Amino acid sequence: MIITINGQSETLDQATLSIADLLKIKNVEMPEMVSVEYNGDILDRSVFNSTSVKDGDVIEFLYFMGGGRHSRSVYEF
Amino acid sequence: MNFTDDQIERYSRHILLKEVGGAGQEKLLKAKVLIIGAGGLGAPIALYLAAAGVGTLGIIDGDRVDLSNLQRQVIHFTADVGVPKVESAKDKMLQINPDINVITYQDIVYSKNILDIIKDYDFIIDGTDNFSAKFLINDACVMAKKPYSHGGILRFDGQTFTHTPGHACYRCVFKEPPPKNAVPTCSQAGVLGAIAGMLGTVQATEALKYILGIGDLLTDRLLMFNALKMNFRSVNLKKNPNCPICSATPTITELVDGELPVCDLKAH
Amino acid sequence: MATFTKFYETAPVLLDELVQFEADIAEFVAGKIDPVKFKAIRVAHGVYEQRQPHTYMIRIRCAACGITPAQLIRCAEIGQKYGSGEVHFTTRSEVQVHDVLIENVMTVIRELLEVGLSTRGGGGNTIRNILTSPDSGISSEEVFDVDPYAMALSTRMVNEEDSWNLPRKFKIAFSHNAQDTAYTQSTCLGYLAKIQDGQKGFEVYCAGGMGAKPMVGHLLFDFIPDTKAYHVTRALKTMFDKHGNRRNRYANRLKFLWKKLERDEFVRLFHEEYDKIKDDESLNLVLAGLPNEAKDPGIAVETVSGPDFETWKTRYVVAQKQPGLASIKLPLVLGDLLSDEARAICDFLALFGDNTIRCDRAQNMRIRNIPAKYLGNLYTIIFGMKHHLAKHAPFIGNMINCTGAQTCKLGICLPRGLSTAIRDRLINSDLDLDQIDDLRVNMSGCPNTCGMHHIADVGFFGKVGRKDGDMYPAYNVLAGARIGIPGQTEYAQKVDEISAKDIPTFMHDLLQDYIPKKAKYESFNAYLDTEGRALIKSLCDQFRDVPSFAQNPEYYTDWGAKKKLSLDELGTAECSAGMFDMIEVDEKSIKTHRKALEVDGADVASELYQILFAASRMLLVTRGLDSKTDEQVFEHFGKHFIEANFINAKFRDVVTLAKLGLKPELPKYKDLILELADAVIALYKSMDDSLKFRSTEAPAAEAASTLVEKDFRGVACPMNFVKTKLVLDTLNSGQQLKILLDDGEPIQNVPNSVALEGHKVLSKTQSGPHWEVVIEKK
């Protein structure tokens, strides 16, 4: 399926996956530091596992910023 | 308003702008802006707003200038090491523009003082570098119905948005501070100094636009950039109908102080 | 002429000119010359009108800062008989007589001429007094004596007719060493003494100047042999005459020409003139210095002793390089020397020869060539005088101030009053002022730099402060000039501003901090950089809050003023009066008589004659033509404009009619006369800034009547637009604004910018050297 992550179109091999899975495959090391905007709405952290990603979704990873360290640049557009 | 000859000359490049003009400059001179944090973000914000002739500038910071600040906090000079940051900042602001009034608070913001401080200002700018302060500033501004600019920088990245009453707030995006153990120790928090200038000037510009009533503010938009790729983009935000602070039925009704990592007190 | 010692020779051109000037004065008094034209004539003769109408100040040339005792006595007598009872020493090392009535002006000038003094070029767009280091010829530290060059060059310049109608004033200075005490890098043309390969010569700087837009002079030659001083001066003068801006009085000093042309083109145009004459040895100056030598009159030596005498010697007496001779500084109160005291001291100095007096830029009198054994005699004379500052530390007399609003039409503040207030404050303090005899504290009453605030350690220039709608006298505070390193001159920069009333305390507090620390710092600048500038700021901060008029009205009356500060008496600059003023007179006259022509029952023949006369005379001045009679006006116009093909030959007959005085014939040619007037105005418009002719252009439309008028002439882009916008802000929609703009960039830019903001530009009319633009607010 093809989704848009952080403004960029990406083709994923998986047929189904959750937001939590997506954070993993996108190598987000500290998901606690990320808010996820899913098709325009901020997702509650409690639904990361139960929300599945589908073709055409627009997803933004929005990072806390203002202290702390990340293993990689947080916004790689 | 009668500008003095010096003022006409000093602000001529503003007055020349159709969108500013004499009337706009007059608004700036009458405006009151509070800058929270005299650090990496606060430095360019304070200098540009002072230069622009924002008539009253409040600046709050409890720290003293440290040698490690000077890599990015361009309002402080080597000779200022050890001096309270607000004093050092005030000195430079008045040097760049003796025409303005600078009010200093050598303090940090916390639940008991913030509402009292922000009440006198038209616009507040968050130049802090810790989540407790960022959430506190957001909550206080929402409660007091004050517009403010959020800003954060890290490594090579920056983010900012502007809140005005009725639009998305920080908690609409980030419901609550990250768990304490998720925040890495501050000794590892590197930042490319110039990033502070890039983001601080965006925040200063937002303040000026707000006062002048011109252009489109960064309301309901989070502007993000990465300086390595030198890429800027903005993501639309929505006001969260269930936001714990800005919704119709807020769950947060009084301000609380978060726990601060010791060294996190230092602003950017 | 009688033979006696002079610092320059005044014959013969000057004498002819005086006859003319006398006739002009008579015509002016009889109401036959327009005051504007008369002003342009008189200021070039060193005659300035003071704030008090019909009262004049007369400035006397003192080449190489020198004046003989006999000459100074004459000036003192003139001051007594026709003036304010004193001689005034100026900041340009010359002397002035104040409060002279118009009917006495010519008498004064003639009496001065009898002793070899001239007022020619005292003001106006002329070669001004040529200055030197005040101790040139006697200082053991000098490279060589530069006085003979300044004297010889003055003689040459005052005898050249083209010295009196330049685009703007032209100042020349010679310094005898790198200390640059004549400020060669702050003047139009500066010569700094230098010896290269055993040859005497000069490092040459040009296009410097202070004023409201100060510029540091640029190096023109690293070295020229001393024999070329005239050639360089002559070439630069010619170049300035040809290319300088004659249209905009605010941008016509030589420094602006440099700015406009930039270095390469400026230097190229200079060399175009210089190369023509540089090898002509017949042009070399004939040096005529006065010897610095002892003349012992053999009078009784007065022996004085005691600590006061010793203090005075330490403070004011310097040994000359000539063994046994002393030079003495006599600090004057604000440059004023009372006539009777001038006589007393000059009578004494005359015993020691003619070469015994110089003026300095701090408005003090310098005495030289006195055998040391007579110092007691001099001390007794000086301390027998009342009006001097010799009992105080030199710092007190070194403060420089311009005359300010007391006499000057441009003055905002009264720096004489301020200087007095500072002096009173400091001499009544316990500060050790002897520590700072080299500290320069200079003040001007307005942004013009007569008080030399740009070359001060601490400088002030007057401005208007406003509080709750009341105006109070205030000053900008500048600090940190760097003088005395060739090529590295820097002007003092503004640090802050302060009310006039707080300055004495400000100065006291600043000096109280500085004096004990002086030894610690290499220079005042080092002190400023480390802590002084911050202290100045914080002191100004401390005084920032001026009490309201109700709280303390004293703040609103300047030092030495009798009433609350007002700008009502501000006038226009005297010294820049020139060609364009005279042209404007005729241009206005054309307009006036044109209007009169439309009135029912107008004396058509007479109005047409006036139009024809004004049109014919208007541009004669640009050809250097001066006409005594109406007939001559028409004759000159016919010859220099019609025959020279600047104006169409079809107008020849009508001009001839006027020349023959056949007024009644003129109404038949009404249309032709009006067309001629238009043609002359169009020709003027087509002239470039140096008032040379170019091809003709189309005339502009007529101006509409307006409600609000603003004069933005002399205001550069984009400040003129900024100010226009601010005025428009105050108007209602549909209201009209008329602004005056300079030609060139301003007229090209401002109307378009106004239109871009949505306002309507109703008209643009060229009027003389400027434009009138009428705008309707959106």
Side-chain angles (χ1 to χ4, degrees):
Chain A
M1 66 181 152
I2 298 171
I3 60 169
T4 305
I5 302 179
N6 293 343
Q8 285 187 341
S9 184
E10 289 202 23
T11 305
L12 299 177
D13 302 334
Q14 292 83 347
T16 59
L17 79 168
S18 67
I19 295 290
D21 297 335
L22 184 65
L23 286 167
K24 254 179 234 145
I25 65 165
K26 294 308 292 177
N27 296 323
V28 176
E29 287 178 9
M30 284 178 295
E32 302 90 340
M33 297 300 289
V34 179
S35 266
V36 178
E37 190 186 81
Y38 178 74
N39 293 332
D41 291 311
I42 301 290
L43 286 184
D44 200 281
R45 202 167 290 282
S46 61
V47 300
F48 280 8
N49 281 317
S50 57
T51 305
S52 28
V53 179
K54 52 185 197 310
D55 194 51
D57 279 346
V58 178
I59 294 166
E60 296 283 349
F61 295 158
L62 305 178
Y63 288 79
F64 273 115
M65 195 162 292
R69 176 189 72 96
H70 296 268
S71 60
R72 52 191 277 260
S73 177
V74 288
Y75 298 124
E76 296 207 345
F77 307 123
Chain B
M1 157 155 197
N2 286 327
F3 291 107
T4 64
D5 283 353
D6 275 0
Q7 285 178 320
I8 293 172
E9 194 155 349
R10 175 182 289 273
Y11 304 122
S12 57
R13 268 45 176 189
H14 271 167
I15 297 168
L16 282 169
L17 292 167
K18 189 178 167 188
E19 293 79 0
V20 181
Q25 187 61 48
E26 192 181 342
K27 285 184 195 168
L28 294 176
L29 285 165
K30 288 186 174 160
K32 297 175 170 184
V33 173
L34 176 70
I35 303 160
I36 304 182
L41 295 173
I45 294 166
L47 289 173
Y48 273 103
L49 294 187
V54 174
T56 302
L57 286 171
I59 186 153
I60 175 162
D61 198 308
D63 271 331
R64 287 172 184 270
V65 178
D66 185 88
L67 196 55
S68 68
N69 300 147
L70 304 187
Q71 163 256 16
R72 66 204 173 283
Q73 301 181 10
V74 295
I75 201 165
H76 310 301
F77 301 164
T78 304
D80 299 320
V81 169
V83 173
K85 282 188 175 178
V86 289
E87 291 309 317
S88 162
K90 177 181 180 174
D91 179 50
K92 312 312 185 316
M93 291 157 81
L94 291 177
Q95 279 192 53
I96 210 167
N97 190 352
D99 210 19
I100 61 160
N101 181 25
V102 177
I103 299 170
T104 58
Y105 308 84
Q106 197 190 336
D107 205 344
I108 57 165
V109 285
Y110 57 98
S111 60
K112 298 290 182 288
N113 71 357
I114 186 164
L115 287 170
D116 198 45
I117 293 172
I118 66 174
K119 73 173 174 6
D120 294 330
Y121 292 90
D122 307 319
F123 192 89
I124 289 97
I125 303 181
D126 174 8
T128 65
D129 182 27
N130 66 80
F131 297 115
S132 301
K134 290 192 183 306
F135 278 91
L136 181 71
I137 291 165
N138 180 72
D139 296 353
C141 286
V142 170
M143 281 182 177
K145 299 196 167 20
K146 294 281 185 185
Y148 88 99
S149 164
H150 160 88
I153 51 171
L154 193 71
R155 290 168 51 88
F156 300 98
D157 300 279
Q159 66 171 214
T160 176
F161 77 97
T162 301
H163 166 77
T164 62
H167 293 276
C169 80
Y170 194 47
R171 281 200 198 262
C172 293
V173 186
F174 303 105
K175 195 171 154 195
E176 54 196 12
K180 218 169 105 192
N181 57 10
V183 183
T185 55
C186 32
S187 61
Q188 290 162 301
V191 61
L192 190 73
I195 299 294
M198 291 174 68
L199 195 82
T201 50
V202 172
Q203 291 187 277
T205 306
E206 287 288 288
L208 296 175
K209 280 162 60 188
Y210 176 82
I211 297 162
L212 293 166
I214 59 174
D216 299 321
L217 294 171
L218 277 173
T219 44
D220 299 329
R221 277 191 296 155
L222 182 70
L223 176 75
M224 308 176 291
F225 69 79
N226 170 267
L228 287 179
K229 303 211 166 169
M230 207 45 95
N231 207 335
F232 285 70
R233 61 188 289 262
S234 61
V235 171
N236 288 333
L237 304 175
K238 263 190 212 160
K239 191 170 157 61
N240 180 350
N242 302 316
C243 175
I245 181 84
C246 77
S247 67
T249 51
T251 53
I252 300 172
T253 53
E254 63 181 46
L255 297 176
V256 286
D257 292 310
E259 212 176 316
L260 300 175
V262 179
C263 75
D264 223 12
L265 270 170
K266 279 186 188 172
H268 270 297
Chain C
M1 297 221 30
T3 54
F4 46 81
T5 305
K6 305 185 278 279
F7 284 81
Y8 50 95
E9 299 288 340
T10 51
V13 175
L14 281 176
L15 302 178
D16 293 344
E17 287 174 341
L18 274 187
V19 175
Q20 178 61 43
F21 186 42
E22 184 154 29
D24 292 335
I25 292 180
E27 290 213 346
F28 171 69
V29 171
K32 286 186 191 156
I33 307 188
D34 186 280
V36 177
K37 183 178 178 190
F38 181 61
K39 174 161 131 181
I41 296 169
R42 66 174 162 73
V43 294
H45 280 277
V47 179
Y48 281 59
E49 189 170 31
Q50 296 175 193
R51 273 204 172 197
Q52 308 83 335
H54 310 302
T55 309
Y56 295 86
M57 173 276 279
I58 297 180
R59 192 178 285 160
I60 302 156
R61 183 179 292 270
C62 299
C65 317
I67 189 164
T68 68
Q71 289 176 329
L72 190 55
I73 288 174
R74 177 60 62 91
C75 295
E77 286 170 351
I78 287 170
Q80 192 92 47
K81 272 194 280 184
Y82 309 108
S84 58
E86 63 204 2
V87 186
H88 180 72
F89 284 59
T90 78
T91 57
R92 289 206 79 256
S93 306
E94 65 217 325
V95 296
Q96 286 176 184
V97 180
H98 289 163
D99 297 357
V100 179
L101 300 175
I102 188 71
E103 58 264 35
N104 294 327
V105 166
M106 233 21 247
T107 316
V108 167
I109 291 177
R110 291 206 180 280
E111 288 189 8
L112 289 168
L113 203 58
E114 284 172 12
V115 292
L117 289 173
S118 169
T119 65
R120 195 71 167 122
N125 304 325
T126 60
I127 300 282
R128 300 292 186 90
N129 195 31
I130 302 179
L131 309 187
T132 53
S133 302
D135 57 351
S136 189
I138 58 173
S139 167
S140 53
E141 292 173 5
E142 70 189 5
V143 177
F144 58 86
D145 182 7
V146 294
D147 280 0
Y149 300 90
M151 291 162 65
L153 192 59
S154 292
T155 296
R156 199 63 73 80
M157 287 294 137
V158 298
N159 285 293
E160 290 180 349
E161 287 185 61
D162 65 356
S163 292
W164 312 129
N165 194 10
L166 293 167
R168 190 67 180 91
K169 59 187 171 188
F170 191 96
K171 296 177 174 176
I172 304 170
F174 289 83
S175 277
H176 64 10
N177 67 17
Q179 295 286 313
D180 197 15
T181 42
Y183 306 118
T184 60
Q185 290 158 74
S186 312
T187 195
C188 302
L189 176 56
Y191 294 97
L192 191 73
K194 192 174 182 180
I195 288 184
Q196 191 167 300
D197 303 329
Q199 157 83 52
K200 277 187 189 176
F202 301 102
E203 197 168 300
V204 184
Y205 290 89
C206 71
M210 292 188 258
K213 296 209 165 92
M215 275 175 225
V216 173
H218 307 274
L219 188 68
L220 185 63
F221 286 99
D222 189 47
F223 184 83
I224 55 154
D226 68 333
T227 49
K228 299 294 175 214
Y230 174 76
H231 304 76
V232 170
T233 309
R234 174 72 255 176
L236 196 63
K237 179 168 117 178
T238 305
M239 179 220 171
F240 185 41
D241 195 29
K242 277 190 186 169
H243 303 286
N245 186 332
R246 289 184 186 270
R247 213 184 267 271
N248 181 352
R249 79 179 69 194
Y250 300 103
N252 48 13
R253 294 274 308 263
L254 188 64
K255 60 188 177 181
F256 292 107
L257 186 61
W258 177 287
K259 203 173 169 192
K260 181 180 149 201
L261 299 175
E262 298 185 346
R263 169 178 282 277
D264 290 352
E265 182 63 6
F266 187 100
V267 171
R268 189 186 71 76
L269 289 173
F270 166 78
H271 275 281
E272 234 172 52
E273 305 301 330
Y274 183 62
D275 293 347
K276 279 183 217 161
I277 54 171
K278 68 174 196 247
D279 298 322
D280 185 348
E281 289 185 10
S282 71
L283 294 177
N284 289 9
L285 292 174
V286 181
L287 298 184
L290 295 175
N292 289 290
E293 57 193 14
K295 184 178 170 191
D296 192 334
I299 55 173
V301 170
E302 281 189 49
T303 310
V304 183
S305 58
D308 287 354
F309 181 58
E310 293 306 318
T311 302
W312 174 72
K313 280 201 292 188
T314 312
R315 284 172 170 173
Y316 292 110
V317 180
V318 176
Q320 297 183 190
K321 71 176 174 187
Q322 294 83 7
L325 292 184
S327 74
I328 301 94
K329 180 151 90 178
L330 173 56
L332 300 174
V333 180
L334 308 171
D336 294 337
L337 181 61
L338 301 183
S339 289
D340 50 350
E341 299 194 335
R343 174 169 271 286
I345 194 155
C346 289
D347 280 344
F348 173 75
L349 295 178
L351 300 172
F352 298 90
D354 290 324
N355 190 17
T356 44
I357 305 173
R358 293 291 186 278
C359 313
D360 75 18
R361 299 202 72 177
Q363 301 169 274
N364 295 320
M365 182 168 165
R366 301 284 185 104
I367 296 166
R368 58 166 66 189
N369 297 326
I370 306 297
K373 65 177 176 179
Y374 292 113
L375 282 172
N377 300 53
L378 185 59
Y379 177 83
T380 307
I381 287 177
I382 289 176
F383 282 82
M385 294 164 54
K386 289 195 193 80
H387 207 57
H388 63 84
L389 298 168
K391 56 183 174 295
H392 302 297
F395 169 78
I396 293 294
N398 285 347
M399 287 193 289
I400 299 177
N401 57 272
C402 71
T403 160
Q406 187 148 339
T407 52
C408 173
K409 288 184 172 187
L410 291 182
I412 297 167
C413 295
L414 289 166
R416 281 168 68 94
L418 175 62
S419 182
T420 307
I422 295 176
R423 186 210 315 148
D424 290 348
R425 179 76 176 83
L426 296 183
I427 60 181
N428 290 313
S429 73
D430 49 10
L431 297 177
D432 182 5
L433 300 175
D434 279 309
Q435 296 292 324
I436 49 167
D437 52 7
D438 54 350
L439 193 74
R440 294 178 303 253
V441 175
N442 301 349
M443 50 208 107
S444 304
C446 76
N448 295 300
T449 321
C450 308
M452 300 192 284
H453 52 263
H454 287 118
I455 51 176
D457 290 311
V458 181
F460 299 94
F461 71 93
K463 60 170 285 175
V464 177
R466 282 192 171 81
K467 169 113 179 176
D468 305 337
D470 289 307
M471 291 188 291
Y472 62 87
Y475 284 84
N476 291 289
V477 185
L478 297 85
R482 286 170 212 271
I483 308 288
I485 309 169
Q488 291 180 38
T489 296
E490 281 176 32
Y491 288 139
Q493 297 293 320
K494 179 176 165 179
V495 180
D496 210 321
E497 45 197 68
I498 187 170
S499 82
K501 285 286 152 158
D502 289 318
I503 294 178
T505 305
F506 165 88
M507 273 314 301
H508 172 272
D509 293 357
L510 178 64
L511 294 177
Q512 190 172 39
D513 184 68
Y514 171 60
I515 291 171
K517 294 174 180 164
K518 185 180 186 241
K520 191 171 111 185
Y521 289 106
E522 178 191 336
S523 64
F524 185 71
N525 276 314
Y527 166 74
L528 278 180
D529 291 344
T530 310
E531 53 182 317
R533 202 168 274 109
L535 178 66
I536 291 175
K537 286 238 39 140
S538 82
L539 288 174
C540 288
D541 254 345
Q542 202 176 308
F543 297 118
R544 177 110 33 227
D545 201 18
V546 171
S548 70
F549 183 67
Q551 285 165 333
N552 189 350
E554 273 187 19
Y555 269 79
Y556 295 79
T557 301
D558 204 352
W559 293 112
K562 292 187 183 71
K563 52 182 197 212
K564 194 177 168 203
L565 180 69
S566 153
L567 299 181
D568 297 347
E569 288 156 16
L570 270 191
T572 51
E574 282 277 298
C575 70
S576 66
M579 244 184 222
F580 35 69
D581 298 277
M582 294 155 79
I583 294 171
E584 269 175 29
V585 168
D586 286 321
E587 203 183 356
K588 262 189 207 147
S589 166
I590 291 172
K591 277 189 190 157
T592 312
H593 290 291
R594 258 195 138 133
K595 259 189 203 152
L597 206 52
E598 309 303 324
V599 176
D600 282 345
D603 181 349
V604 175
S606 167
E607 300 297 346
L608 285 174
Y609 180 81
Q610 292 298 339
I611 293 171
L612 194 51
F613 175 76
S616 302
R617 188 179 66 172
M618 189 170 136
L619 297 180
L620 295 184
V621 62
T622 66
R623 313 276 86 188
L625 298 166
D626 198 21
S627 312
K628 307 284 174 297
T629 61
D630 288 14
E631 192 186 339
Q632 222 174 30
V633 166
F634 295 117
E635 192 182 312
H636 279 153
F637 182 71
K639 188 170 163 199
H640 295 276
F641 285 81
I642 298 180
E643 306 306 331
N645 287 325
F646 288 120
I647 293 288
N648 194 303
K650 70 181 176 182
F651 299 113
R652 186 183 294 127
D653 291 348
V654 74
V655 172
T656 307
L657 280 181
K659 184 178 148 195
L660 297 173
L662 298 171
K663 276 190 208 176
E665 299 292 314
L666 296 181
K668 286 185 226 161
Y669 303 100
K670 180 180 165 189
D671 290 345
L672 194 65
I673 292 169
L674 295 182
E675 195 186 333
L676 172 62
D678 285 341
V680 170
I681 292 172
L683 177 64
Y684 176 49
K685 263 182 280 180
S686 74
M687 293 160 83
D688 65 16
D689 285 346
S690 57
L691 296 186
K692 286 177 291 199
F693 297 108
R694 277 196 306 237
S695 59
T696 53
E697 287 164 15
E702 282 207 23
S705 67
T706 55
L707 287 176
V708 183
E709 263 196 68
K710 288 284 167 184
D711 186 352
F712 296 139
R713 287 176 295 178
V715 182
C717 293
M719 290 308 293
N720 41 19
F721 179 51
V722 170
K723 294 189 174 188
T724 302
K725 281 188 71 166
L726 290 174
V727 178
L728 283 168
D729 278 353
T730 66
L731 303 187
N732 298 318
S733 178
Q735 212 176 339
Q736 291 184 5
L737 166 69
K738 177 157 110 183
I739 54 172
L740 304 187
L741 293 172
D742 290 324
D743 198 17
E745 219 188 351
I747 188 62
Q748 286 156 19
N749 285 322
V750 175
N752 288 341
S753 306
V754 166
L756 279 175
E757 300 230 329
H759 307 290
K760 209 185 267 175
V761 177
L762 299 178
S763 67
K764 295 188 275 186
T765 315
Q766 189 155 22
S767 168
H770 63 272
W771 291 75
E772 294 178 1
V773 177
V774 180
I775 300 160
E776 186 182 290
K777 181 169 174 173
K778 69 170 173 185

